[in-house]
Amino acid sequence: MGAPKFVPLSIFVLFFVFSCVSCTEFEAGGDNGWIVPQSSDQGDIFNQWAAKNRFKVGDSIRFKYKKDSVLVVSEDEYKKCQTTKPELYSNHDDTVFKLDRPGLFYFISGVTGHCEKGQKMIIKVMEVESTPQSPPPSSSLAASTPKAKKSNHAVRETTQFIGAGLVAVSVLVLTFSLV
């Protein structure tokens, strides 16, 4: 007597669940992009923007700019608005930086004087949260508390398939086990 048919199906479901990760791409500064603040009143616009968002490992930040650059630097270099050894330097008008670990990331403009005028930002990336053990809310409660969805052109949610090969293998296993 062979193994039950539901075993390969459950393996497929587990691989699919663990292979699909929701990530978000944020545009640095929101709709305004990576620009030099125009006045001292706007001096901290990037950190104010960053404080309004929640970043997690796997998310990315898109920097859109013209005739500028973006550097990833240390905390000390961020405070001084200068660097000799940036972790990343890009001046390609459209730079995407993947947040690959929890902790703080420091960004500055590489153009002389821009950082001093406030074109700099700190991003705090949260630890990966474990799955809660409590049951999800009942459908009646969820239906009675609709979530307001803000329209923000500067945020794009994506779903990435990590380990797509495992999913494909699982599909093959499932297909051949049912034959």
Side-chain angles (χ1 to χ4, degrees):
M1 185 168 197
K5 299 273 187 211
F6 67 87
V7 173
L9 178 60
S10 61
I11 292 171
F12 169 77
V13 170
L14 283 174
F15 278 137
F16 182 79
V17 167
F18 289 114
S19 298
C20 182
V21 179
S22 178
C23 299
T24 303
E25 181 179 282
F26 296 88
E27 187 173 324
D31 290 332
N32 294 325
W34 185 240
I35 59 167
V36 180
Q38 298 301 312
S39 68
S40 60
D41 295 344
Q42 295 180 317
D44 204 30
I45 60 172
F46 293 104
N47 286 332
Q48 290 172 9
W49 171 83
K52 293 177 186 175
N53 291 289
R54 185 176 177 100
F55 305 96
K56 63 186 185 312
V57 174
D59 288 347
S60 57
I61 306 292
R62 179 176 297 274
F63 293 85
K64 288 187 176 184
Y65 49 88
K66 299 274 189 231
K67 297 181 183 179
D68 209 323
S69 61
V70 61
L71 290 80
V72 179
V73 297
S74 70
E75 179 181 10
D76 192 45
E77 293 168 324
Y78 173 87
K79 289 176 182 177
K80 294 177 182 176
C81 279
Q82 59 184 351
T83 183
T84 55
K85 296 180 184 177
E87 294 175 37
L88 168 90
Y89 170 82
S90 180
N91 63 352
H92 299 291
D93 297 337
D94 192 14
T95 302
V96 177
F97 181 80
K98 184 161 182 126
L99 303 170
D100 59 356
R101 62 172 172 76
L104 298 175
F105 289 86
Y106 300 90
F107 300 92
I108 64 173
S109 169
V111 175
T112 304
H114 287 195
C115 179
E116 290 83 355
K117 291 180 181 176
Q119 193 177 6
K120 61 184 187 174
M121 174 174 62
I122 303 171
I123 297 285
K124 181 178 182 182
V125 179
M126 307 304 289
E127 293 279 344
V128 177
E129 295 178 8
S130 60
T131 308
Q133 298 298 328
S134 61
S138 69
S139 59
S140 62
L141 177 60
S144 66
T145 57
K147 293 181 181 177
K149 188 170 184 176
K150 288 170 61 175
S151 174
N152 185 350
H153 300 290
V155 177
R156 179 178 12 166
E157 291 189 31
T158 59
T159 302
Q160 297 178 343
F161 289 96
I162 301 170
L166 293 175
V167 173
V169 169
S170 300
V171 169
L172 290 172
V173 168
L174 176 64
T175 303
F176 286 112
S177 68
L178 295 176
V179 174

